[in-house]
Structures are given as structure tokens and as C-alpha cells.
Amino acid sequence: MTQFLIENMAPLMFCGLILFLLLGYPVAFALGANGLLFGLLAIELGLIQIQLLQALPERIFGIMTNDTLLAIPFFTFMGLILERSGMAEDLLDTIGQLFGPIRGGLAYAVIFVGALLAATTGVVAASVISMGLISLPIMLRYGYDRRVASGVIAASGTLAQIIPPSLVLIIMADQLGRSVGDMYEGAFLPGLMLSAMYAGFIFLISIIKPNFVPALPKEARTLRGMQLFSRAMISLVPPLVLIFLVLGTIFLGIATPTEGGGMGAAGAMILALMKRKLSWSLVKQAMDSTTKLSSFVMFILIGSTVFGLTFRGVNGDLWVEHLLTSLPGGQVGFLIAVNILFFVLAFFLDFFELAFILVPLVGPVADKLGIDLIWFGVLLGVNMQTSFMHPPFGFALFFLRSVAPEKAYKDKVTGKTMAPITTQQIYWGAVPYVIIQIIMVAILIFWPGLVLDSVHGAAKFDPSTIQIELPPMDQGEPEVIEFK
């Protein structure tokens, strides 16, 4: 029995973690308890020395002093302030009027605004809830199919997962040891392509089932001509300025992601003040939610550090490496297998848990196989986006369910009695977008240039290559000093 435990400690530890999670224990504590229990067992069996666990305090202190993770509370706070300041409402109303005359116009407006909100808020819950509250009643009022309406709102809200400043990309960059700015640059084009694919699906529906996505009737289009144009400019300019303030400065190398997040948080408060929506209660609510989310992330990261320290101590990283490098197909076989694993686990775990548990295990293997880790991180980010859309546990579906009408109600404008939206309709509405995301994953596997060209396409300044040539003090060759 003792020999069996010694030889199979790593797989037993991984199975123990799955058991803890299936029993319903919080992920952070399941990770930490699993790491400590197996750590003590490994010490007893002589697999590791007790000094290994003494490294934990230093590692946890390293987490608390990680500057990269500071961007998470900044971007979360920015998104919550914007969501509560009414920016989404103004955008949806204006863009809905702009696209109203064409079939599927409201759905296009939701996708456009979802992408715009993703580039400003970076918070899925804020995007889905705000668009669900604002656009869902209007889409139902004018005869949209319930599955189409709920699906496009949930899917557009999840664009905040992959379009910068996405929180998951910050975590991914930290776990893979890469620059957040490079991860943002690599994810920008795939995020826009995903938005275009959503719009393409709505276009197909407008041709095949035009009654599912009707155009707005003339009486509903209250803005026309210069009035519509001026309203569009007023609604679009502030978020576009904020996008440049946050992402533009990061892409140009003027600011770090943490500094960009700080500017974004300040910019969001200025926009709320300009709209006369800034109040102490608004700031307090945003700070409370930001503190909870940031604490949630930190606790999971601390738990995963405890688990990872013991797992590597019992050669778990070598076990995972041997398991994955022995797959047929080389790089492509590895990528397909890993993406299938993430897709299946996304039915049960959210993206934070996947990023903290699995990414540190598969990242070193990808690096050893010669896979660019920026490409790998963006690829997994698109894959983990499906964790928000998977029936029956997708968080975006839960967010939409919380604001969608569960009972028949009377429409405020038309006075008609409207049927409720069932949970089954929300689930079926999400399925086509999960398929689109899978197609996007396949595209990224076979066309890595979509990510890498934007990151490595232009020469970048590398301070580690600075050389200064000093004049010779006497006869002989000049002295060259390199700064590493």
C-alpha cells in the first residue's frame, strides 16, 4: 500500500481535488486543504522535506505584492461604475434606433453595444444584466423570438471575457508568465472576429426566419436625421475616449495595464459625474462588489499556490508533462486534447477556477512543445468563454435568468400581456453561440497568426538588449557594456 501511494501520489492528489470539488467545498479551501493534506502525507512517506512547506509564507507574500493583479480591482471598479451610471442604457437606445429599420437591427445593436461594453467594463455580469434589463423587454415587445433574444444578449455579454480589458486575460498572463499588454493585443482581433461571427449568425436568421428578428416599426423609431446622428455622437464619444484612455495607452506602451486600469477607474467616475449619476451610495456599492471579487480571486490564488507547491513537490508536473507530451499529433494533438479538457470542465467550473487549477499544469508543457504562450493563453481564453454559456451551469445564463420575466406581465408601452421566458428557451438560445465559440477555437488553432501577428508583427523595444559602447581608456578595442 505504501509503495502504491509513493508511485501514484500525483494522480491521487489530482483525483482528491476533484472529489473535494464534487462534494461542494469552496474551490479556494478545497485547493488549500488538498495541498496541505497531501503535503503532510508526502512528508510522512519521505517524498518531500518539511522545508518545502516552509516556503508557503514567502509565496503567499509574493501574491500580495504582485503588481499585475492590481489591475483586477481597477477594471472591476471601472465596469461597475459604468454599468450603474446609465452608459449601457444610452448606448442601447441610440444604437437600437440606428439599426432599427433593418431586420435583426435590435440584435445587431445588442452585439455592437456588447462589444463596446466589453472594451470598457471587462465584467460579464455587468454587461449581461444591464443589456437584459434594457433590451430584452424591447425585443420581446416587437416580436423577437425568445430564444434568439435571450441567446444574443447572453453571448454578447460574454464578449467581456475575451475583448480587453478582460479579467481572465490578466489572470492568464500572470499564470503563464507573460505580459498583460501582449495578451491584450493578441486577444483584440479574435474578440472582434467573434463579434462579427455573432452578427453573421443573426444575418442568417434574418434570411432564413425573418419573422424571428423583425425590424422596428416606424412608430418606434423616434429619432431621425441629424437628431439621431447627434445623439449617436453624444452616446459614442465618451466610451470611445475611455477605450483609448485604457487600451490605447497600454497598446502604445505609454501605460502599464495597472496604470491603464487606474485611469479607466478615474475616467468612469468622471463620466458618471458628467451624467450626474455619481453618488456616495454608487461608489460604496461598486467598492463593495470590487472588494468581494478581488478577495475571491486572491483566496483562489492562495489555495492554488498551496496545491501547486505540494503537487510539484511530488513530481505532479512531470506526471502531467508525460501524460500530455505522449499524445499523438504533436502540437496540434496537444492543443485539441487540452481544449477538449477545458471545454468539458467548463460545464462544472468557472474560468477563475480553470485558470488557477489547470493553466499552471498545462502551460509548462505547451512551452516545452514550442507553443507560443500568448497564443495559447488567448486560445484558452476563448475556450473558457464557453464556461459562461454552457447549459445548465453557465453564469451568463444565470445572470439573464435573474432579470428575464418568469411570469406573464403587461407591457408598459403597448399594454399587451406578454408571455414569460422559460429557462429552456434561454438554454436553447445559448447553444448556437457555444458552437460559434468552438468554431473560433478551431480557427485559432489552425491560424495562430490571428493572435501572433498583432503581438510580434512589429519590432518592440526591449530594454534587456541595450548596449553602450565606451571609448577605450587606452589602446585596444572599445569596451561594450550590456544591461540585462
Side-chain angles (χ1 to χ4, degrees):
M1 182 65 179
T2 302
Q3 190 62 30
F4 175 80
L5 289 174
I6 292 173
E7 293 176 356
N8 297 280
M9 183 63 74
L12 286 172
M13 189 174 177
F14 194 75
C15 292
L17 175 61
I18 294 173
L19 179 63
F20 270 106
L21 295 176
L22 290 176
L23 290 173
Y25 287 101
V27 176
F29 302 118
L31 283 165
N34 198 61
L36 289 175
L37 286 173
F38 278 90
L40 294 173
L41 180 60
I43 291 170
E44 188 68 27
L45 294 173
L47 285 173
I48 62 175
Q49 300 296 317
I50 194 170
Q51 288 82 1
L52 182 70
L53 294 184
Q54 291 175 349
L56 277 176
E58 186 179 349
R59 288 199 170 208
I60 292 172
F61 183 75
I63 294 170
M64 306 310 293
T65 56
N66 189 335
D67 290 340
T68 302
L69 297 176
L70 268 177
I72 292 175
F74 281 136
F75 285 127
T76 304
F77 182 79
M78 177 182 77
L80 292 168
I81 289 288
L82 289 174
E83 186 254 324
R84 289 171 169 80
S85 67
M87 185 186 77
E89 187 173 355
D90 292 344
L91 279 170
L92 279 167
D93 181 47
T94 306
I95 305 303
Q97 293 281 328
L98 200 62
F99 287 113
I102 61 175
R103 286 197 188 110
L106 285 176
Y108 293 132
V110 167
I111 295 169
F112 180 84
V113 173
L116 208 56
L117 287 177
T120 49
T121 65
V123 182
V124 172
S127 298
V128 174
I129 290 173
S130 56
M131 289 195 296
L133 286 170
I134 300 159
S135 62
L136 188 58
I138 300 172
M139 296 172 89
L140 298 181
R141 179 183 305 151
Y142 296 113
Y144 269 67
D145 181 81
R146 281 163 165 69
R147 292 165 297 179
V148 174
S150 57
V152 75
I153 290 171
S156 301
T158 62
L159 289 172
Q161 171 88 343
I162 193 63
I163 294 180
S166 160
L167 298 185
V168 74
L169 292 177
I170 299 173
I171 302 294
M172 200 68 70
D174 179 69
Q175 294 296 301
L176 293 173
R178 291 297 182 266
S179 161
V180 176
D182 285 347
M183 199 70 77
Y184 277 1
E185 284 188 48
F188 198 72
L189 181 58
L192 294 182
M193 284 183 62
L194 202 55
S195 307
M197 290 169 74
Y198 290 170
F201 175 66
I202 295 297
F203 179 72
L204 284 176
I205 291 178
S206 68
I207 295 173
I208 299 169
K209 294 281 187 180
N211 58 314
F212 279 16
V213 286
L216 278 178
K218 285 187 178 180
E219 60 271 15
R221 304 199 296 268
T222 56
L223 298 175
R224 291 181 178 84
M226 284 304 298
Q227 187 183 11
L228 178 58
F229 177 78
S230 61
R231 176 75 177 273
M233 288 299 99
I234 292 170
S235 299
L236 282 173
V237 169
L240 290 175
V241 169
L242 191 63
I243 289 170
F244 173 76
L245 188 68
V246 176
L247 297 181
T249 54
I250 295 172
F251 290 167
L252 294 173
I254 300 171
T256 66
T258 303
E259 292 165 346
M263 287 190 295
M269 293 183 72
I270 292 169
L271 286 182
L273 185 63
M274 289 170 59
K275 287 178 167 290
R276 298 181 181 179
K277 295 287 182 68
L278 190 65
S279 64
W280 172 243
S281 64
L282 172 66
V283 174
K284 185 175 181 297
Q285 288 174 15
M287 290 181 71
D288 285 345
S289 299
T290 301
T291 303
K292 288 176 183 176
L293 180 64
S294 302
S295 302
F296 169 73
V297 172
M298 286 298 171
F299 268 102
I300 292 183
L301 187 49
I302 290 170
S304 67
T305 300
V306 177
F307 177 82
L309 185 65
T310 304
F311 195 69
R312 285 180 176 82
V314 298
N315 295 323
D317 52 338
L318 298 178
W319 171 68
V320 172
E321 182 181 315
H322 176 72
L323 200 65
L324 295 176
T325 52
S326 61
L327 292 169
Q331 287 186 356
V332 174
F334 167 79
L335 289 172
I336 291 173
V338 167
N339 276 282
I340 290 173
L341 175 66
F342 272 75
F343 180 79
V344 172
L345 289 179
F347 276 95
F348 313 103
L349 303 174
D350 71 11
F351 73 91
F352 279 128
E353 294 156 4
L354 289 170
F356 286 132
I357 297 171
L358 289 184
V359 172
L361 299 180
V362 299
V365 183
D367 195 28
K368 188 170 183 178
L369 288 171
I371 295 170
D372 187 284
L373 292 185
I374 297 293
W375 170 41
F376 188 61
V378 173
L379 181 64
L380 293 184
V382 175
N383 191 327
M384 287 193 287
Q385 189 178 348
T386 60
S387 70
F388 279 95
M389 295 290 293
H390 275 318
F393 300 116
F395 282 95
L397 308 182
F398 291 159
F399 297 145
L400 184 59
R401 175 71 281 174
S402 69
V403 296
E406 294 185 61
K407 298 179 181 178
Y409 67 99
K410 185 171 286 188
D411 185 75
K412 295 179 181 178
V413 176
T414 61
K416 295 180 181 177
T417 300
M418 308 294 291
I421 289 185
T422 65
T423 302
Q424 188 178 18
Q425 288 171 335
I426 293 176
Y427 286 171
W428 278 113
V431 170
Y433 297 95
V434 172
I435 295 172
I436 290 172
Q437 288 166 349
I438 294 171
I439 293 170
M440 189 67 208
V441 168
I443 290 172
L444 288 178
I445 288 176
F446 293 104
W447 285 279
L450 292 172
V451 174
L452 299 180
D453 287 351
S454 57
V455 179
H456 304 305
K460 293 194 175 185
F461 172 71
D462 185 358
S464 68
T465 61
I466 300 175
Q467 292 185 347
I468 296 179
E469 187 174 299
L470 298 177
M473 298 299 293
D474 49 17
Q475 298 300 320
E477 292 296 322
E479 181 180 3
V480 176
I481 298 177
E482 292 188 6
F483 289 81
K484 295 291 184 183

